[in-house]
Amino acid sequence: MTTPFVLLVPLVLWAEPTPPVLPVVRAPVTEAARLHATVDVVVVLSAPPDEVLRALPEDDVKPYRLLRTLSAFAAHVTPRGLDALSRHSAVRAVTLDGKLKALTAESAEVVRADEVRDSLGVTGKGVVVAALDTGVDRAHPDLLDGGVLEEKCFVLGGCQPGNVDEGALAPEGSGHGTHVTGILTGDGARAAKGLAPDSRVVMVRVFDDTSYGRESDWAVAMEWLSDNAARLGLRIVNLSIGTDERYPGVCDTDWPLMAVAAQHLADAGVVMFGAAGNENEANALVAPACLSHVIAVGATYDAPLGREPDTGTYSSGCFDAATDAGTVMCLSNAGDELDLLAPGSRIRAAAPGGGVAERRGTSQATPHAAAVAALLLEVDPKLSPSDVLAVLRDTGRPVVDPKAPGRTTPLIDARAAVEAVQSSFCARHAAETCALPAAACDGGACTGRCVQGGCVAGPDVVLPAVSSSEGGTVVVYCSCTHAEGGLAVLALGLWLVRRRGHRVDVHGIRQAQDPSPHPG
């Protein structure tokens, strides 16, 4: 008699849903190829672009941008070229070279940045902020005192002189970039002082004279910033730019090249702020604000202004019947991916030709957030992007947007944020090691202080007694009292060695965020 057997199979009671697998050549590209002989695409790769291009038909794939650091290129492609791309094993994604635009549509007191400057003496000194925008009027009186560190241009056929694809000058195209720069670092000669007047700005022009640009220009600009971050001392990128499209969640798969570019900068410790957009959306943001490594910023009013606008509606079709300092602008996009709020109306700042202009929108709110981040990074340059976001969220004032009554978003409070970083400075750095020369130890005791992540000789703190050998270096765990006042932390221990000490990185990895790619 044959022994029966029972085949046992696992019973799956529940499983995570599998995300849909997107085609390598995205649907909008395929549709465009049906209507046009060639289409402009960006191609994200898992291999060097030069290597991949050698295997593709050169008459059907004609590159106009190579992004070697990001392993990508932009090209004019025929239907035959798309077929070749779809079959190449190193091609991860092919998307349209999308259009981006600059987002257009008393503030220091709302976020208390004036108190940080006047009472705490924190002005963003030593912090470099890059802005991807329409250019800058570097000769404006508010920007003459070294506010603009460097200029660069990436506009296909639109950089001057000579209408080239890349250039070392970023002349203003519309006024948007000059206004953003004034909010960040203006000296106050004509308009009010910028929120971080001693910070320095790297202006990267990525828009033509109509304030539109390509994703590939934006991405190559981000690649250049990533490649030059150490040379520039770059810590923050302001993205007052955006797409016409809006996204209800993280949009990395919709904009894969921009997502890779943002990832590279985040890995380098650069904090990115993106404008949420001005379309009066309750549950969607523009790109790059919807990317996973960009902090999305919405806009509020900076004062009681009554009805806004005075008559009619914003271009998004809405108006606010009553306003106050901190009231969310009706045009400001909202959603679960929105991280922060900052003043966006009515903001007076530098205008081309030495004047002053009043502008409104999330494009103006975003540099407010970036400038406050510069204040934090002056106090503690070792803050990670996740640290910056956490401080701004935790110290902000919760505000409800009438478009989404069940959701609150923090309105930035610069003074509360700076004081929080100052008061916790020593606690954050207590686990670090730092080196003092043996000469700093006299009579069995060492004097030094932990200042912005490193110990220097000074009278503020007496470290525990040690014995020293000639020519040696004393390596200690930091024991510090921050210059602006803060919690003193007891030294954990110290050693005498003959080599330089090693610092311990105590910061965690920042949470993923969404970016938004059009100016707001």
Side-chain angles (χ1 to χ4, degrees):
M1 180 177 178
T2 303
T3 305
F5 69 92
V6 177
L7 178 63
L8 299 177
V9 295
L11 178 63
V12 179
L13 298 177
W14 180 85
E16 287 280 359
T18 303
V21 178
L22 296 172
V24 170
V25 179
R26 302 294 164 79
V29 178
T30 304
E31 183 62 28
R34 292 194 187 103
L35 303 174
H36 306 282
T38 62
V39 291
D40 292 351
V41 300
V42 292
V43 183
V44 181
L45 307 166
S46 59
D50 303 270
E51 175 185 314
V52 173
L53 285 165
R54 283 194 293 269
L56 298 171
E58 61 181 17
D59 290 339
D60 298 291
V61 180
K62 298 182 178 181
Y64 54 84
R65 286 284 192 203
L66 289 181
L67 298 94
R68 292 184 173 92
T69 299
L70 303 181
S71 296
F73 65 85
H76 309 297
V77 180
T78 67
R80 183 168 174 260
L82 285 177
D83 181 64
L85 288 168
S86 70
R87 291 185 284 105
H88 197 293
S89 60
V91 174
R92 292 171 49 196
V94 182
T95 62
L96 291 175
D97 191 359
K99 289 283 188 179
L100 298 93
K101 62 182 179 181
L103 300 183
T104 56
E106 287 84 292
S107 53
E109 296 178 6
V110 176
V111 297
R112 298 206 292 167
D114 56 332
E115 296 179 26
V116 172
R117 179 183 66 235
D118 298 337
S119 299
L120 304 181
V122 178
T123 59
K125 186 175 182 179
V127 181
V128 175
V129 184
L132 270 64
D133 221 293
T134 62
V136 65
D137 177 5
R138 193 170 188 165
H140 193 287
D142 282 2
L143 306 176
L144 281 176
D145 192 20
V148 180
L149 174 65
E150 191 165 327
E151 299 174 53
K152 191 70 175 177
C153 175
F154 295 98
V155 178
L156 194 68
C159 293
Q160 303 305 323
N163 292 323
V164 294
D165 299 340
E166 176 182 340
L169 299 176
E172 179 61 87
S174 71
H176 188 277
T178 299
H179 200 264
V180 164
T181 305
I183 294 170
L184 288 164
T185 191
D187 290 334
R190 296 284 171 84
K193 272 187 178 288
L195 275 72
D198 288 332
S199 66
R200 305 193 73 189
V201 171
V202 176
M203 174 55 69
V204 187
R205 180 169 172 171
V206 291
F207 296 107
D208 60 22
D209 288 340
T210 67
S211 295
Y212 269 89
R214 295 169 176 258
E215 179 190 7
S216 58
D217 291 336
W218 183 90
V220 76
M222 297 296 282
E223 180 184 60
W224 180 81
L225 288 174
S226 179
D227 291 344
N228 289 275
R231 176 182 68 83
L232 296 168
L234 181 65
R235 297 306 313 274
I236 300 165
V237 174
N238 185 88
L239 301 166
S240 290
I241 59 178
T243 55
D244 284 325
E245 299 83 5
R246 278 88 74 188
Y247 302 89
V250 176
C251 61
D252 288 12
T253 57
D254 299 282
W255 297 86
L257 179 55
M258 289 202 296
V260 171
Q263 176 75 61
H264 273 251
L265 282 167
D267 289 346
V270 177
V271 193
M272 288 164 281
F273 294 89
N278 302 329
E279 290 80 21
N280 187 26
E281 294 278 1
N283 290 292
L285 308 180
V286 300
C290 54
L291 294 176
S292 60
H293 288 283
V294 176
I295 298 172
V297 184
T300 69
Y301 291 98
D302 70 342
L305 299 173
R307 187 193 194 279
E308 285 289 296
D310 293 333
T311 61
T313 67
Y314 292 114
S315 59
S316 60
C318 72
F319 70 92
D320 290 299
T323 60
D324 203 343
T327 301
V328 178
M329 296 182 71
C330 68
L331 59 75
S332 180
N333 292 345
D336 291 339
E337 306 304 324
L338 184 66
D339 296 299
L340 301 168
L341 294 169
S345 182
R346 303 176 179 182
I347 309 302
R348 290 175 56 79
V356 176
E358 184 177 88
R359 289 177 177 255
R360 318 175 192 188
T362 56
S363 269
Q364 281 59 53
T366 305
H368 278 76
V372 175
L375 303 177
L376 302 185
L377 288 166
E378 179 191 342
V379 175
D380 188 353
K382 300 196 79 174
L383 292 173
S384 70
S386 58
D387 294 331
V388 171
L389 176 59
V391 170
L392 294 177
R393 277 178 167 171
D394 293 346
T395 58
R397 173 166 66 90
V399 172
V400 175
D401 186 339
K403 291 191 295 292
R407 184 191 298 132
T408 62
T409 305
L411 172 61
I412 288 174
D413 184 330
R415 177 155 191 164
V418 168
E419 289 180 337
V421 172
Q422 288 178 338
S423 65
S424 60
F425 182 91
C426 292
R428 278 194 311 280
H429 292 280
E432 295 181 356
T433 57
C434 53
L436 289 173
C441 301
D442 182 22
C446 299
T447 59
R449 58 191 174 123
C450 186
V451 176
Q452 294 187 342
C455 284
V456 297
D460 292 359
V461 171
V462 178
L463 303 174
V466 296
S467 60
S468 173
S469 61
E470 185 179 352
T473 300
V474 179
V475 178
V476 301
Y477 280 121
C478 284
S479 173
C480 78
T481 300
H482 188 254
E484 277 73 22
L487 177 65
V489 178
L490 294 176
L492 300 178
L494 47 84
W495 294 268
L496 179 67
V497 295
R498 288 187 171 274
R499 57 185 177 80
R500 194 162 221 21
H502 172 67
R503 286 184 185 168
V504 179
D505 182 4
V506 296
H507 298 303
I509 298 174
R510 173 188 181 282
Q511 293 185 58
Q513 301 274 324
D514 278 347
S516 62
H518 61 77

